[in-house]
C-alpha cells in the first residue's frame, strides 16, 4: 500500500508520509495533555503548512476508528494506545515539525483560555468610529473594564486582540498607577519596549 501523502500546500520539510502524520497527531495530543478542537488542529498542522488538510482529516479518522484518540464536545484527546505510539515513535517525525505544531497548539490553547477571562465587544459609535469595550471577568464578576474610542473597526479589532493577550498586564499597570505602586508596572514597561 502506498504510504506517500498528498503534499499540496505543504512547505519543504513538512510531512509527506501518512504514518508520520498519524504519529505527529498522536505526539501533539499526548504533549498537550488537554483536548484540542478540530479547527485548532487544522491551524496547528495545516496552517503551518506541515501537513495537507485532506491527509490530516484522513489521519484523524484512522486514529479515531482504531482507538488511538477520541473526540468529545471539548475536542480530540489521546487514548493510552495513542500515547504509546507517540512515545515509541516520537523520533520518527522531525523535531522541527513537532516544535512548530506544538508551539502553535499551545499558543492557540492559551489564547482560548485568555478569551474566557478577557472579553471584548466592538460597537459602532454614532458620529463615527467604534467603541471597544474591554473587560476582565471571573465567575460573572467584572474585575476590570475600560471603554476605548477607536477610529475604525480594524484598529478596534487589533486593540481588542491585544487586550485578550495582555489584559492581565494592562490591568496590573492601571492598578499600579492608580495605587501609586510602580513595582506593578515597571517590569511590564521595561520588557515591552
Amino acid at each position: 500500500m502506498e504510504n506517500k501523502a498528498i503534499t499540496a500546500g505543504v512547505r519543504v520539510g513538512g510531512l509527506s508520509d501518512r504514518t508520520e502524520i498519524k504519529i505527529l497527531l498522536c505526539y501533539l495530543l499526548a504533549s498537550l495533555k488537554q483536548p484540542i478542537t478540530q479547527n485548532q488542529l487544522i491551524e496547528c498542522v495545516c496552517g503551518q503548512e506541515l501537513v495537507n488538510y485532506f491527509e490530516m482529516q484522513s489521519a484523524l479518522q484512522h486514529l479515531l476508528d482504531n482507538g488511538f484518540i477520541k473526540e468529545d464536545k471539548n475536542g480530540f484527546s489521546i487514548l493510552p494506545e495513542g500515547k504509546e505510539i507517540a512515545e515509541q515513535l516520537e523520533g520518527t517525525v522531525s523535531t522541527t515539525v513537532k516544535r512548530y505544531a506544538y508551539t502553535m497548539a499551545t499558543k492557540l490553547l492559551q489564547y482560548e483560555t485568555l478569551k474566557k477571562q478577557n472579553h471584548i465587544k466592538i460597537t459602532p459609535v454614532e458620529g463615527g468610529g467604534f467603541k471597544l469595550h474591554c473587560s476582565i471577568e471571573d465567575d460573572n464578576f467584572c474585575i476590570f473594564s475600560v471603554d476605548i474610542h477607536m477610529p475604525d473597526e480594524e484598529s478596534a479589532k487589533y486593540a481588542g486582540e491585544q487586550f485578550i493577550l495582555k489584559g492581565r498586564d494592562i490591568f496590573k499597570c492601571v492598578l499600579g498607577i492608580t495605587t501609586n505602586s510602580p513595582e506593578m508596572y515597571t517590569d511590564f514597561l521595561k520588557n515591552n519596549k
Side-chain angles (χ1 to χ4, degrees):
M1 182 174 150
E2 181 69 30
N3 207 33
K4 189 139 179 74
I6 299 168
T7 56
V10 177
R11 73 166 77 179
V12 174
L15 301 183
S16 60
D17 181 90
R18 290 185 172 134
T19 301
E20 287 181 351
I21 295 168
K22 294 169 194 165
I23 294 167
L24 173 65
L25 293 173
C26 286
Y27 165 81
L28 194 56
L29 294 172
S31 298
L32 293 173
K33 298 179 176 65
Q34 73 180 82
I36 187 169
T37 67
Q38 184 165 351
N39 286 340
Q40 291 168 330
L41 272 175
I42 291 168
E43 182 65 29
C44 295
V45 297
C46 301
Q48 298 300 301
E49 300 176 340
L50 302 174
V51 173
N52 174 277
Y53 172 82
F54 298 106
E55 293 291 352
M56 189 206 79
Q57 295 294 355
S58 177
L60 277 176
Q61 193 59 55
H62 175 85
L63 294 170
L64 282 167
D65 292 345
N66 289 286
F68 297 115
I69 64 174
K70 68 175 183 170
E71 181 181 22
D72 60 25
K73 65 181 176 77
N74 298 317
F76 293 96
S77 54
I78 196 82
L79 292 171
E81 294 82 0
K83 188 173 183 179
E84 189 175 315
I85 286 175
E87 290 170 356
Q88 290 177 355
L89 301 175
E90 177 185 340
T92 306
V93 179
S94 84
T95 303
T96 303
V97 168
K98 290 185 298 192
R99 185 178 68 237
Y100 276 130
Y102 179 77
T103 300
M104 179 54 76
T106 55
K107 285 179 181 179
L108 288 170
L109 292 171
Q110 180 183 28
Y111 182 77
E112 289 303 314
T113 300
L114 290 171
K115 273 178 53 175
K116 291 176 184 173
Q117 285 188 317
N118 301 347
H119 303 271
I120 62 166
K121 183 178 179 185
I122 299 170
T123 52
V125 174
E126 191 175 315
F130 288 81
K131 177 177 87 169
L132 170 63
H133 176 75
C134 303
S135 63
I136 300 175
E137 299 176 19
D138 189 25
D139 296 327
N140 297 323
F141 179 78
C142 184
I143 297 168
F144 173 75
S145 74
V146 63
D147 290 334
I148 307 168
H149 185 269
M150 302 298 293
D152 55 59
E153 190 172 13
E154 186 177 328
S155 60
K157 286 179 181 178
Y158 177 77
E161 292 296 315
Q162 292 303 305
F163 183 81
I164 288 172
L165 293 170
K166 299 177 181 172
R168 181 173 288 151
D169 291 328
I170 293 166
F171 171 61
K172 196 173 171 182
C173 288
V174 169
L175 188 61
I177 291 167
T178 57
T179 60
N180 196 26
S181 304
E183 66 278 1
M184 294 181 80
Y185 59 84
T186 52
D187 284 342
F188 174 78
L189 295 175
K190 187 179 354 172
N191 295 328
N192 289 285
K193 286 185 177 182

